[in-house]
């Protein structure tokens, strides 16, 4: 059965870093575009980053201002989201999803999410 599973969330102080992982089973992640998005308490879902299949080109939300980096390890069938200089407003449930097509298209497989809490 095809699925993606997120991991790596937790409690981190402001200014800290976390690396989230999105691991696939049942299919090969580098054959599809993969995106990270989040949903904070009382907030709308927010797209963060996307990595394309093939050449691995990336797209980011302007609001991130270079703090987050998406990458892929084909050998581990995993996509990562490196998050630096975390702020309290980054507190949210973080999800990864494969896309039906290129970055910007709809989500296909989505994981259950991993919680990130930024607090001192």
């Amino acid at each position: 059965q095809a699925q993606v599973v997120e991991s790596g969330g937790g409690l981190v102080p402001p200014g800290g870093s976390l690396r989230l992982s999105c691991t696939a089973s049942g299919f090969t992640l580098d054959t599809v575009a993969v995106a990270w998005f989040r949903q904070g308490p009382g907030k709308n879902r927010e797209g963060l980053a996307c990595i394309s299949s093939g050449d691995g080109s990336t797209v980011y939300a302007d609001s991130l201002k270079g703090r987050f980096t998406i990458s892929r390890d084909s050998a581990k069938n995993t996509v990562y989201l490196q998050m630096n200089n975390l702020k309290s407003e980054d507190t949210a449930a973080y999800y990864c999803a494969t896309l039906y097509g290129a970055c910007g298209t709809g989500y296909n497989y989505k994981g259950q999410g991993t919680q990130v809490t930024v607090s001192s």
Side-chain angles (χ1 to χ4, degrees), residues 93-115:
Y94 283 71
Y95 303 85
C96 70
T98 63
L99 305 184
Y100 283 109
C103 289
T105 58
Y107 299 144
N108 186 3
Y109 293 114
K110 298 184 291 292
Q112 295 299 307
T114 185
Q115 178 67 36

mmCIF file of all heavy atoms in Angstrom, residues 93-115:
data_model
loop_
_atom_site.group_PDB
_atom_site.id
_atom_site.type_symbol
_atom_site.label_atom_id
_atom_site.label_comp_id
_atom_site.label_asym_id
_atom_site.label_seq_id
_atom_site.Cartn_x
_atom_site.Cartn_y
_atom_site.Cartn_z
ATOM 1 N N ALA A 93 1.105 21.671 12.893
ATOM 2 C CA ALA A 93 1.257 20.309 12.422
ATOM 3 C C ALA A 93 1.804 20.377 10.996
ATOM 4 O O ALA A 93 1.280 21.126 10.169
ATOM 5 C CB ALA A 93 -0.067 19.571 12.443
ATOM 6 N N TYR A 94 2.847 19.614 10.734
ATOM 7 C CA TYR A 94 3.527 19.645 9.438
ATOM 8 C C TYR A 94 3.229 18.345 8.692
ATOM 9 O O TYR A 94 3.323 17.259 9.270
ATOM 10 C CB TYR A 94 5.029 19.815 9.626
ATOM 11 C CG TYR A 94 5.415 21.228 9.972
ATOM 12 C CD1 TYR A 94 5.104 21.758 11.221
ATOM 13 C CD2 TYR A 94 6.068 22.051 9.058
ATOM 14 C CE1 TYR A 94 5.422 23.065 11.553
ATOM 15 C CE2 TYR A 94 6.405 23.356 9.380
ATOM 16 C CZ TYR A 94 6.070 23.852 10.629
ATOM 17 O OH TYR A 94 6.400 25.149 10.945
ATOM 18 N N TYR A 95 2.917 18.482 7.424
ATOM 19 C CA TYR A 95 2.536 17.347 6.597
ATOM 20 C C TYR A 95 3.369 17.326 5.322
ATOM 21 O O TYR A 95 3.737 18.378 4.796
ATOM 22 C CB TYR A 95 1.067 17.444 6.189
ATOM 23 C CG TYR A 95 0.095 17.531 7.333
ATOM 24 C CD1 TYR A 95 -0.211 18.745 7.930
ATOM 25 C CD2 TYR A 95 -0.547 16.386 7.818
ATOM 26 C CE1 TYR A 95 -1.111 18.838 8.985
ATOM 27 C CE2 TYR A 95 -1.453 16.458 8.870
ATOM 28 C CZ TYR A 95 -1.728 17.685 9.439
ATOM 29 O OH TYR A 95 -2.618 17.758 10.474
ATOM 30 N N CYS A 96 3.612 16.129 4.832
ATOM 31 C CA CYS A 96 4.150 16.021 3.486
ATOM 32 C C CYS A 96 3.097 15.354 2.607
ATOM 33 O O CYS A 96 2.193 14.655 3.104
ATOM 34 C CB CYS A 96 5.455 15.243 3.446
ATOM 35 S SG CYS A 96 5.329 13.473 3.776
ATOM 36 N N ALA A 97 3.221 15.597 1.322
ATOM 37 C CA ALA A 97 2.269 15.028 0.379
ATOM 38 C C ALA A 97 2.925 14.865 -0.974
ATOM 39 O O ALA A 97 3.762 15.687 -1.374
ATOM 40 C CB ALA A 97 1.039 15.927 0.255
ATOM 41 N N THR A 98 2.561 13.822 -1.664
ATOM 42 C CA THR A 98 2.940 13.716 -3.062
ATOM 43 C C THR A 98 1.901 14.467 -3.879
ATOM 44 O O THR A 98 0.754 14.654 -3.443
ATOM 45 C CB THR A 98 3.004 12.257 -3.505
ATOM 46 O OG1 THR A 98 1.685 11.674 -3.399
ATOM 47 C CG2 THR A 98 3.957 11.451 -2.632
ATOM 48 N N LEU A 99 2.308 14.901 -5.040
ATOM 49 C CA LEU A 99 1.422 15.686 -5.889
ATOM 50 C C LEU A 99 0.995 14.881 -7.106
ATOM 51 O O LEU A 99 1.697 13.981 -7.553
ATOM 52 C CB LEU A 99 2.120 16.970 -6.335
ATOM 53 C CG LEU A 99 2.680 17.848 -5.213
ATOM 54 C CD1 LEU A 99 3.245 19.133 -5.775
ATOM 55 C CD2 LEU A 99 1.634 18.137 -4.163
ATOM 56 N N TYR A 100 -0.177 15.257 -7.655
ATOM 57 C CA TYR A 100 -0.651 14.581 -8.855
ATOM 58 C C TYR A 100 0.230 14.881 -10.058
ATOM 59 O O TYR A 100 0.361 14.063 -10.960
ATOM 60 C CB TYR A 100 -2.086 15.013 -9.153
ATOM 61 C CG TYR A 100 -3.103 14.360 -8.261
ATOM 62 C CD1 TYR A 100 -3.769 15.091 -7.280
ATOM 63 C CD2 TYR A 100 -3.408 13.013 -8.388
ATOM 64 C CE1 TYR A 100 -4.707 14.496 -6.454
ATOM 65 C CE2 TYR A 100 -4.341 12.410 -7.572
ATOM 66 C CZ TYR A 100 -4.983 13.155 -6.609
ATOM 67 O OH TYR A 100 -5.913 12.554 -5.798
ATOM 68 N N GLY A 101 0.827 16.062 -10.064
ATOM 69 C CA GLY A 101 1.678 16.454 -11.177
ATOM 70 C C GLY A 101 2.861 17.245 -10.673
ATOM 71 O O GLY A 101 3.481 16.883 -9.674
ATOM 72 N N ALA A 102 3.142 18.361 -11.328
ATOM 73 C CA ALA A 102 4.270 19.214 -10.954
ATOM 74 C C ALA A 102 3.930 20.000 -9.688
ATOM 75 O O ALA A 102 2.788 19.999 -9.212
ATOM 76 C CB ALA A 102 4.585 20.168 -12.098
ATOM 77 N N CYS A 103 4.951 20.653 -9.131
ATOM 78 C CA CYS A 103 4.712 21.529 -7.998
ATOM 79 C C CYS A 103 3.628 22.529 -8.355
ATOM 80 O O CYS A 103 3.618 23.095 -9.448
ATOM 81 C CB CYS A 103 5.999 22.258 -7.613
ATOM 82 S SG CYS A 103 7.252 21.196 -6.842
ATOM 83 N N GLY A 104 2.708 22.715 -7.411
ATOM 84 C CA GLY A 104 1.588 23.610 -7.649
ATOM 85 C C GLY A 104 0.296 22.895 -7.970
ATOM 86 O O GLY A 104 -0.776 23.514 -7.954
ATOM 87 N N THR A 105 0.378 21.611 -8.260
ATOM 88 C CA THR A 105 -0.835 20.827 -8.508
ATOM 89 C C THR A 105 -1.340 20.242 -7.198
ATOM 90 O O THR A 105 -0.779 20.480 -6.130
ATOM 91 C CB THR A 105 -0.570 19.719 -9.528
ATOM 92 O OG1 THR A 105 0.487 18.863 -9.042
ATOM 93 C CG2 THR A 105 -0.145 20.310 -10.870
ATOM 94 N N GLY A 106 -2.427 19.509 -7.266
ATOM 95 C CA GLY A 106 -3.073 19.032 -6.047
ATOM 96 C C GLY A 106 -2.318 17.913 -5.365
ATOM 97 O O GLY A 106 -1.485 17.229 -5.950
ATOM 98 N N TYR A 107 -2.664 17.749 -4.067
ATOM 99 C CA TYR A 107 -2.039 16.715 -3.263
ATOM 100 C C TYR A 107 -2.658 15.363 -3.529
ATOM 101 O O TYR A 107 -3.879 15.233 -3.631
ATOM 102 C CB TYR A 107 -2.192 17.052 -1.774
ATOM 103 C CG TYR A 107 -1.547 18.348 -1.347
ATOM 104 C CD1 TYR A 107 -2.141 19.155 -0.384
ATOM 105 C CD2 TYR A 107 -0.340 18.760 -1.884
ATOM 106 C CE1 TYR A 107 -1.549 20.335 0.020
ATOM 107 C CE2 TYR A 107 0.255 19.943 -1.488
ATOM 108 C CZ TYR A 107 -0.352 20.727 -0.538
ATOM 109 O OH TYR A 107 0.242 21.902 -0.140
ATOM 110 N N ASN A 108 -1.815 14.333 -3.590
ATOM 111 C CA ASN A 108 -2.272 12.969 -3.793
ATOM 112 C C ASN A 108 -2.192 12.233 -2.453
ATOM 113 O O ASN A 108 -3.142 12.250 -1.678
ATOM 114 C CB ASN A 108 -1.429 12.304 -4.879
ATOM 115 C CG ASN A 108 -1.930 10.930 -5.254
ATOM 116 O OD1 ASN A 108 -2.959 10.477 -4.748
ATOM 117 N ND2 ASN A 108 -1.227 10.255 -6.134
ATOM 118 N N TYR A 109 -1.065 11.611 -2.166
ATOM 119 C CA TYR A 109 -0.920 10.925 -0.875
ATOM 120 C C TYR A 109 -0.452 11.927 0.180
ATOM 121 O O TYR A 109 0.496 12.675 -0.043
ATOM 122 C CB TYR A 109 0.116 9.807 -0.969
ATOM 123 C CG TYR A 109 -0.302 8.673 -1.855
ATOM 124 C CD1 TYR A 109 0.365 8.404 -3.041
ATOM 125 C CD2 TYR A 109 -1.380 7.851 -1.500
ATOM 126 C CE1 TYR A 109 -0.012 7.365 -3.859
ATOM 127 C CE2 TYR A 109 -1.767 6.801 -2.321
ATOM 128 C CZ TYR A 109 -1.078 6.576 -3.499
ATOM 129 O OH TYR A 109 -1.455 5.543 -4.304
ATOM 130 N N LYS A 110 -1.108 11.941 1.324
ATOM 131 C CA LYS A 110 -0.726 12.799 2.438
ATOM 132 C C LYS A 110 -0.489 11.941 3.669
ATOM 133 O O LYS A 110 -1.148 10.920 3.861
ATOM 134 C CB LYS A 110 -1.830 13.824 2.744
ATOM 135 C CG LYS A 110 -2.107 14.780 1.607
ATOM 136 C CD LYS A 110 -3.117 15.824 1.995
ATOM 137 C CE LYS A 110 -4.511 15.244 2.175
ATOM 138 N NZ LYS A 110 -5.077 14.792 0.885
ATOM 139 N N GLY A 111 0.468 12.378 4.496
ATOM 140 C CA GLY A 111 0.734 11.667 5.728
ATOM 141 C C GLY A 111 -0.165 12.142 6.850
ATOM 142 O O GLY A 111 -1.050 12.984 6.653
ATOM 143 N N GLN A 112 0.086 11.609 8.042
ATOM 144 C CA GLN A 112 -0.705 11.949 9.214
ATOM 145 C C GLN A 112 -0.189 13.186 9.927
ATOM 146 O O GLN A 112 -0.861 13.720 10.814
ATOM 147 C CB GLN A 112 -0.721 10.771 10.197
ATOM 148 C CG GLN A 112 -1.431 9.544 9.654
ATOM 149 C CD GLN A 112 -2.882 9.826 9.337
ATOM 150 O OE1 GLN A 112 -3.627 10.312 10.181
ATOM 151 N NE2 GLN A 112 -3.304 9.549 8.105
ATOM 152 N N GLY A 113 0.995 13.630 9.555
ATOM 153 C CA GLY A 113 1.529 14.853 10.122
ATOM 154 C C GLY A 113 2.439 14.615 11.310
ATOM 155 O O GLY A 113 2.420 13.555 11.944
ATOM 156 N N THR A 114 3.269 15.606 11.587
ATOM 157 C CA THR A 114 4.129 15.599 12.765
ATOM 158 C C THR A 114 4.072 16.986 13.394
ATOM 159 O O THR A 114 4.124 17.996 12.685
ATOM 160 C CB THR A 114 5.577 15.192 12.401
ATOM 161 O OG1 THR A 114 6.362 15.075 13.584
ATOM 162 C CG2 THR A 114 6.252 16.171 11.445
ATOM 163 N N GLN A 115 3.932 17.025 14.708
ATOM 164 C CA GLN A 115 3.721 18.289 15.403
ATOM 165 C C GLN A 115 5.056 18.970 15.688
ATOM 166 O O GLN A 115 5.997 18.339 16.192
ATOM 167 C CB GLN A 115 2.969 18.056 16.711
ATOM 168 C CG GLN A 115 2.731 19.311 17.532
ATOM 169 C CD GLN A 115 1.785 20.292 16.857
ATOM 170 O OE1 GLN A 115 0.828 19.893 16.192
ATOM 171 N NE2 GLN A 115 2.046 21.586 17.031
#
